Amino acid sequence: MISRATTAGQPFVAPRMPVTRSRSLLVRQRKCVSHRVMGCPKTVCTAQPAPQEGQGVGSKLKQLVTPFSNPEANRKMLALAMAQMLCSVATLIHDTYLPVYMSDVLQMSNSKIGNLQAIAQFLSKASGSVSGIFADILSPARMVIFGTLLTTINKPMFAASGIVYSTFGAIACLYWITFGKIFDRMSKGIREAPSKALIGDLATQSGESAAAAFSLRQSMATFGALFGAAVAAAAYKVSGQNYVVTFAMAGAPALVALTLVVYAFGTGGTKDGSAPAASAASPGGEGEDEQVQLTFFQKAKALLGAFQPAYWQALIIVSILYFARFDASFVTLRAKTVMDKASLPVLTSIIMLTQAVLATPMGLKAKESVASRNMVIVAGIAVLIGANASFAFVPSFTGMALGAFCIGVHMAMTHGVTIGMLSSYIPQKTIPGLGKITGTAWSFTDMVLGVILAYSNSLAGFLADKTAQQGLGNIGCFFGGATACALSICAMIIFSSFGSLGRDDLINQTKKSA
C-alpha cells in the first residue's frame, strides 16, 4: 500500500497504475515513493523500468555507451570519451616505435630513454596540477579544449624529426624528440584534471554516479590505444619500416579529437557545468561568493573543510591500492625469465583487450548503487591478488597469461570505478570565498596518487631485488602488491561498514526531473 507524503505543503497523491504493468515495475515505483516518504532529499531513485520483451542486442549496446540518462550530458560525455580515444590512437601511433627510433637512429641508451620517460611523466603530473587550478578559474571545458589543441600541435613534431635529422644532425634531432615527448606528456596532463572535473559536473547535472562515465572513458581510451598500435604496425610495415611516415599518421586523429571537443564544449554556457567559477552565482544572491574576503589560512581551512570525510576515506583506499599498481615493466621482467621473449607483446594485448571489453559493463554495474560500487571495487582488488599469485607461483606462459588476464579484469573493475568514487565526493558547488574548486581538488588528488605511484615503483624494485638475491627470482614485488591489495580491501570493508562509504545520501548528484 502506497503511503501519502507531503511535498511543498501539498499532499502527495500516488498516480493510478494501469493493471497492465508488470509487478516488478510496481515494486520499483513503490521503492521510489518510499524514498520520498522517508525524507531522504539527497537520495535519488535510479531504478529503471523493468526490461520489456523484445529488447535485443541493440538496446544493450546502446546502454553501454549511455552512462547518463540526461541526453545533453550524455552527448557531451560521448564527445569527451571519443576525443580521449582519438588522442590515445594518435599517441600510440608514434609511441609504439618511438623508443626503437631513439635507440636505433639517435643512439640513445636505455638509461637515457628511461630518464626521459621519468621526466615526461613528472611534468605531466605537474602540468595536470596547474591545469586543475586554471580549470576552476576559466572552466574545465576551456582547459580541455586548450589541452587538446596542444596535443594536436604536438603530433606533427615527431614526423618532422626526419627533416630536423637530415638538416641539423642527430644531436639536434635528439633535443627535438626530447622536447616533443615532454610536450606530449604535458599536453596530456593539461587535459587530465579538467576532464575529470568536467565528467563530475556532467554526472551532477544528470543526477547519477560518474562510475559508468569514467569506465566508458577508460574503455574507449584502451580501444584507442589498441587501434593506434595496430595502425602504427601497419604503417611501419607498408612504408618499408619508415619511422617518419609512421609518425606522420598521428596528426589526423588528434585533429578530429580537437574538432569534437570544440563542437561539444566550445559554445560555453552554464548548462554543462563548465562555466567559469567567477560567473557562477549562488541561489541566495548574485556574486555572493565574491564578497567573502578570506586570508590565506582561512582559504586553506575552507578548502580542507569543503571535503567531506567520505572523500578522505575513498582517497585512503585508492592510495593503498596504488601501492599495488606498480609499472607493468615488473611483469615483463618476470615474464621474460619463464617464457619466450617474442611472446611478451601477447601479455600486453591480453591486458588491454580484457580491460577494453569489461570496463564499461563494470562501470554500469557500479552505477546501480553505493553497495554495488563497493562490491565491484572489492572484487576487482581481489582479482589483482590472484594476478600477483599467478605471476609469483606459476612460472610458465600459462601463468603469465593468466596473470595478464587478471590484471585486465582488475583494471576494468577498479580503475574507472575508483575515479568515479572519488568524483562522487569531490565538491561540485561553489565555496564561499573560494569559488568552484573541482579542478583544484582533482589536481590535489592526482598529485597525491602520482607521488604514491612513484614510491610504489621504488618499493617494487627493492622487493624484487631482495627476492632475487635470495634465489627466488624477482617476485618480491608481487608479494608486496598482494599485501597492499589485502590492506585496501580491509580499508574498504571498514569504511563502508563503519564510515561514510556505505551511505547513498552522500553522493554528489542532483534530483532528476520527473
Side-chain angles (χ1 to χ4, degrees):
M1 183 174 179
I2 302 178
S3 304
R4 295 178 177 267
T6 301
T7 305
Q10 298 297 327
F12 174 80
V13 181
R16 298 188 62 184
M17 300 187 60
V19 295
T20 56
R21 295 189 178 182
S22 64
R23 180 176 179 180
S24 61
L25 178 58
L26 176 61
V27 172
R28 290 168 189 245
Q29 289 183 335
R30 284 177 174 173
K31 288 182 178 179
C32 294
V33 174
S34 68
H35 282 306
R36 301 180 203 175
V37 174
M38 292 170 63
C40 301
K42 293 186 179 181
T43 303
V44 178
C45 177
T46 58
Q48 301 295 324
Q52 302 295 321
E53 293 183 6
Q55 277 190 337
V57 178
S59 299
K60 294 180 179 179
L61 290 177
K62 183 180 179 181
Q63 186 182 16
L64 291 177
V65 294
T66 311
F68 301 130
S69 58
N70 184 300
E72 181 68 11
N74 197 63
R75 181 182 68 82
K76 293 179 181 294
M77 179 61 224
L78 284 176
L80 190 63
M82 289 181 67
Q84 176 67 44
M85 179 185 70
L86 289 167
C87 288
S88 296
V89 171
T91 299
L92 264 292
I93 286 177
H94 63 69
D95 264 12
T96 299
Y97 288 101
L98 189 60
V100 182
Y101 179 77
M102 291 188 292
S103 177
D104 293 351
V105 178
L106 303 181
Q107 301 298 311
M108 288 181 68
S109 66
N110 291 331
S111 297
K112 289 182 179 179
I113 294 175
N115 291 336
L116 174 58
Q117 295 282 9
I119 293 172
Q121 291 296 337
F122 171 77
L123 291 177
S124 175
K125 294 295 183 183
S127 61
S129 299
V130 175
S131 70
I133 298 173
F134 275 98
D136 288 333
I137 299 173
L138 301 175
S139 85
R142 290 175 181 172
M143 289 305 299
V144 168
I145 293 173
F146 178 63
T148 309
L149 173 62
L150 293 181
T151 298
T152 305
I153 295 173
N154 166 257
K155 298 310 178 185
M157 291 185 64
F158 299 100
S161 61
I163 298 176
V164 175
Y165 184 88
S166 60
T167 305
F168 302 103
I171 299 298
C173 187
L174 174 61
Y175 284 111
W176 179 265
I177 287 294
T178 300
F179 176 73
K181 181 63 180 176
I182 292 175
F183 187 10
D184 173 59
R185 292 299 86 192
M186 289 183 68
S187 66
K188 180 182 185 297
I190 289 173
R191 298 194 318 265
E192 193 64 17
S195 293
K196 292 175 179 176
L198 190 52
I199 293 174
D201 288 343
L202 294 174
T204 302
Q205 172 193 344
S206 185
E208 295 167 286
S209 168
F214 280 109
S215 295
L216 174 64
R217 176 173 175 261
Q218 174 195 358
S219 180
M220 294 183 70
T222 307
F223 271 122
L226 282 169
F227 184 71
V231 170
Y236 185 69
K237 183 176 181 180
V238 171
S239 64
Q241 300 184 352
N242 189 309
Y243 294 106
V244 173
V245 172
T246 303
F247 296 159
M249 302 289 291
L255 184 60
V256 177
L258 177 62
T259 304
L260 271 175
V261 293
V262 169
Y263 175 76
F265 302 104
T267 56
T270 59
K271 288 185 177 181
D272 61 358
S274 62
S279 65
S282 62
E286 194 171 321
E288 182 177 323
D289 59 304
E290 294 181 353
Q291 298 175 3
V292 180
Q293 299 295 328
L294 300 178
T295 65
F296 174 80
F297 293 103
Q298 288 175 328
K299 287 182 178 181
K301 183 178 179 181
L303 180 62
L304 293 176
F307 294 99
Q308 54 182 309
Y311 166 80
W312 299 109
Q313 294 170 16
L315 185 61
I316 289 172
I317 292 170
V318 179
S319 297
I320 297 173
L321 174 61
Y322 267 45
F323 275 102
R325 290 268 191 90
F326 44 79
D327 195 77
S329 59
F330 290 99
V331 175
T332 302
L333 292 173
R334 170 58 172 166
K336 76 173 187 176
T337 64
V338 298
M339 60 181 283
D340 182 21
K341 293 181 181 179
S343 301
L344 290 176
V346 174
L347 300 182
T348 303
S349 299
I350 292 174
I351 293 173
M352 296 181 75
L353 278 172
T354 306
Q355 182 178 344
V357 171
L358 296 180
T360 302
M362 291 298 102
L364 290 173
K365 177 64 179 176
K367 174 185 172 182
E368 293 177 357
S369 65
V370 168
S372 296
R373 179 200 69 192
N374 295 345
M375 180 190 68
V376 169
I377 292 175
V378 169
I381 299 174
V383 171
L384 185 56
I385 295 178
N388 285 302
S390 183
F391 288 131
F393 301 119
V394 189
S396 63
F397 173 79
T398 302
M400 300 302 104
L402 177 60
F405 174 75
C406 289
I407 287 181
V409 174
H410 161 77
M411 293 299 291
M413 298 182 74
T414 62
H415 187 63
V417 177
T418 52
I419 294 176
M421 176 174 67
L422 288 167
S423 176
S424 298
Y425 304 118
I426 285 180
Q428 302 291 335
K429 299 180 180 179
T430 54
I431 307 300
L434 297 177
K436 195 163 187 179
I437 63 168
T438 308
T440 304
W442 273 118
S443 294
F444 169 75
T445 303
D446 287 343
M447 181 187 68
V448 170
L449 297 180
V451 170
I452 290 175
L453 203 56
Y455 276 107
S456 73
N457 281 286
S458 299
L459 181 59
F462 173 78
L463 294 175
D465 286 341
K466 280 294 184 182
T467 53
Q469 292 169 3
Q470 297 172 3
L472 301 175
N474 52 348
I475 61 175
C477 54
F478 303 116
F479 294 151
T483 302
C485 288
L487 292 175
S488 185
I489 290 176
C490 290
M492 173 61 86
I493 293 174
I494 291 173
F495 288 137
S496 59
S497 300
F498 306 103
S500 303
L501 296 187
R503 295 174 56 183
D504 288 271
D505 60 311
L506 297 179
I507 300 296
N508 284 331
Q509 55 188 17
T510 57
K511 286 193 176 185
K512 302 177 190 178
S513 57

